[in-house]
Amino acid sequence: MEQYEPDRLSPAVAAAMRRSLRDGRAAMTRRSLLRASTGGALALGGLATLSACGIPAAGKTQGGQSADDHSAKEKEVDFSNWPQYIDVDNSQKHHPTLDAFRKQTGITVKYTEDINDNDEFFGKIQPQLAAGQDTGRDLLVLTDWLAARMIRLGYVQKLDASNLPHAFANLSEQFRSPDWDPGRAYSYPWQGISTVIAYNKKALDGVEVKSISDLLDNPKLKGRVGFLTEMRDTIGMTMLDMGKDPAKFTGDDFDAVIARLQKAVDMGQIRRFTGNDYTSDLTKGDFAACVAWGGDIVQLQADNPDVGYVIPASGYMTSTDNMLIPNKARHKTNAERLIDYYYQPGPAAQLAAYVNYVSPVAGVVPYLAKIDKSAATNPLIVPDKAMQARSHAFRALSSKEETAYQQKFAKLTGA
């Protein structure tokens, strides 16, 4: 089992942590522009009693420390998530899907929005996990690279497939078997995140943008191009443009991408690397085009008809925020029931209509259409099979690779 040693964080990794807190996904306002209402409550179906026969115990077993499960006697579950990453009612005080879950199951959810940054949150819970202690949480939502680390360290519990019939049946093929959790033995996606090219039509003034090469090479866009401070998104999108597979790349491939981006920086082609604040640059026209997150674009288009997006022919990057059950969780079965609940198409649709990110639930479209027809036909929320086939995930990194690559990326971005 890999040992976590905080005193060995390299300067590059520490800088990446600070950068994420300042302007990365920790600082994202990606959910703050959402509609105040989903257009009415969706009638949610009850939890069906499905047979778990034939559901395999997929994946590998690493670590994972259970505790006495108090789910039967204590009808509760402690759920930690990111801010503004769940549906709310008009009063902004209640979460309709969680209320419906409680009515159906009798399980009360203590919902806490205390994850503002992956690394920061990991630093908060790691000492307890390393000591074999309960974190006080039954369910966490973490981005895929940190989910991979948690699994590698043996800090999360293997899921009981018999409690997850809807999740097993309805998980979209696109997200079924990441290299860091084959067969989803330890995690299930909360939402997916698509990384695309966004543009401001007015700022482009007739310039055509179809690829990362256009962003990096077209002199008409000099000084009006943005890339993300998230390494996996910027490197992955550029890697695809260069004909490399982000799921299988070598160190030489990574260096080639850094060199190409560095050339664009030196030439003044790239205006800057940003976190979520690219949304302001894009809407104002300071960026004619940039690498962007799909959920943000859905939100921006509602207010600015000049904002559009492109899926490059070379493909696009996909990542996930994932639900995991930490070691020593007091209510493991209740947490699994909550995971499974969000894989029913009804609750999944209500969640997707509010947060505007990629729903990981197959069969969600007709339910989503009852809430928001435009969302049901938006490939940034429900990718069709053709779009799914063009998605790529960044491969899991070893600790050594993480340190080396972050150092090179930090030098590139000036972090």
Side-chain angles (χ1 to χ4, degrees):
M1 183 186 300
E2 178 183 328
Q3 298 299 313
Y4 177 70
E5 298 175 312
D7 57 324
R8 291 191 179 183
L9 283 177
S10 71
V13 172
M17 292 168 62
R18 291 191 296 271
R19 183 172 68 249
S20 183
L21 281 168
R22 183 182 68 247
D23 57 9
R25 293 192 54 217
M28 292 174 72
T29 56
R30 56 184 177 157
R31 308 175 190 98
S32 62
L33 303 178
L34 297 168
R35 289 180 290 276
S37 171
T38 60
L42 179 70
L44 303 179
L47 289 168
T49 303
L50 301 180
S51 170
C53 295
I55 297 178
K60 54 190 177 181
T61 301
Q62 293 189 34
Q65 300 172 17
S66 61
D68 291 338
D69 193 346
H70 298 266
S71 292
K73 293 183 179 180
E74 299 176 2
K75 306 295 284 185
E76 60 186 83
V77 59
D78 291 274
F79 184 11
S80 285
N81 202 349
W82 298 71
Q84 302 179 46
Y85 209 8
I86 197 171
D87 54 305
V88 297
D89 66 4
N90 290 337
S91 72
Q92 301 294 303
K93 295 179 180 180
H94 299 284
H95 306 295
T97 54
L98 292 182
D99 291 342
F101 175 75
R102 177 181 52 79
K103 291 178 182 178
Q104 291 179 21
T105 64
I107 299 170
T108 298
V109 180
K110 180 184 177 182
Y111 186 76
T112 308
E113 296 181 332
D114 61 345
I115 304 177
N116 293 301
D117 172 77
N118 283 290
D119 278 303
E120 177 191 44
F121 186 74
F122 181 70
K124 182 189 302 183
I125 64 174
Q126 190 276 332
Q128 295 167 292
L129 292 168
Q133 299 172 351
D134 180 9
T135 65
R137 301 167 176 86
D138 301 307
L139 192 62
L140 314 171
V141 174
L142 300 174
T143 305
D144 45 19
W145 61 266
L146 182 54
R149 183 193 296 177
M150 293 278 285
I151 294 171
R152 192 169 65 239
L153 289 166
Y155 284 168
V156 296
Q157 298 185 57
K158 192 170 186 179
L159 301 172
D160 184 345
S162 66
N163 292 328
L164 298 161
H166 295 99
F168 178 82
N170 295 335
L171 176 60
S172 171
E173 190 65 33
Q174 181 180 7
F175 302 115
R176 276 198 174 267
S177 195
D179 66 348
W180 48 269
D181 187 14
R184 290 291 180 180
Y186 295 88
S187 69
Y188 270 91
W190 174 250
Q191 296 288 279
I193 304 163
S194 297
T195 304
V196 299
I197 295 174
Y199 61 82
N200 182 312
K201 184 177 180 180
K202 185 176 181 180
L204 282 178
D205 193 25
V207 177
E208 189 173 48
V209 170
K210 291 185 176 181
S211 68
I212 294 295
S213 287
D214 291 331
L215 268 62
L216 294 175
D217 301 332
N218 191 329
K220 293 181 179 180
L221 298 178
K222 183 176 181 179
R224 299 190 296 137
V225 167
F227 280 76
L228 293 169
T229 54
E230 290 291 336
M231 179 185 75
R232 288 162 177 80
D233 294 316
T234 287
I235 295 295
M237 289 292 283
T238 309
M239 196 172 283
L240 288 170
D241 188 74
M242 296 172 67
K244 303 294 183 180
D245 186 351
K248 300 177 181 178
F249 69 89
T250 66
D252 288 342
D253 294 332
F254 187 93
D255 289 345
V257 173
I258 290 290
R260 187 176 186 204
L261 290 167
Q262 186 64 60
K263 180 180 178 181
V265 169
D266 294 343
M267 293 175 60
Q269 185 76 9
I270 296 175
R271 183 183 183 93
R272 67 190 185 104
F273 293 86
T274 73
N276 187 245
D277 48 326
Y278 72 82
T279 56
S280 176
D281 292 86
L282 185 63
T283 54
K284 290 188 299 183
D286 291 341
F287 283 164
C290 62
V291 178
W293 289 299
D296 289 336
I297 304 311
V298 174
Q299 297 162 25
L300 292 177
Q301 286 180 319
D303 296 319
N304 189 335
D306 288 327
V307 173
Y309 72 93
V310 173
I311 304 295
S314 59
Y316 68 101
M317 295 301 296
T318 297
S319 56
T320 50
D321 288 328
N322 308 274
M323 295 177 280
L324 306 102
I325 299 176
N327 287 350
K328 298 293 185 177
R330 188 175 176 88
H331 310 105
K332 181 175 185 285
T333 299
N334 290 346
E336 289 168 338
R337 293 187 70 182
L338 184 58
I339 293 172
D340 196 62
Y341 166 77
Y342 278 107
Y343 274 82
Q344 295 178 84
Q350 194 160 353
L351 178 63
Y354 192 84
V355 301
N356 290 163
Y357 273 72
V358 178
S359 174
V361 180
V364 76
V365 171
Y367 296 83
L368 187 56
K370 294 178 182 179
I371 305 171
D372 186 339
K373 290 184 179 180
S374 65
T377 58
N378 192 326
L380 292 179
I381 298 175
V382 187
D384 58 23
K385 290 185 178 180
M387 183 169 172
Q388 289 182 26
R390 294 162 68 185
S391 71
H392 298 264
F394 205 89
R395 71 170 174 82
L397 301 178
S398 67
S399 296
K400 183 177 180 180
E401 287 177 322
E402 182 79 36
T403 298
Y405 294 162
Q406 284 285 9
Q407 183 176 18
K408 294 175 180 179
F409 189 68
K411 183 178 180 181
L412 168 73
T413 61

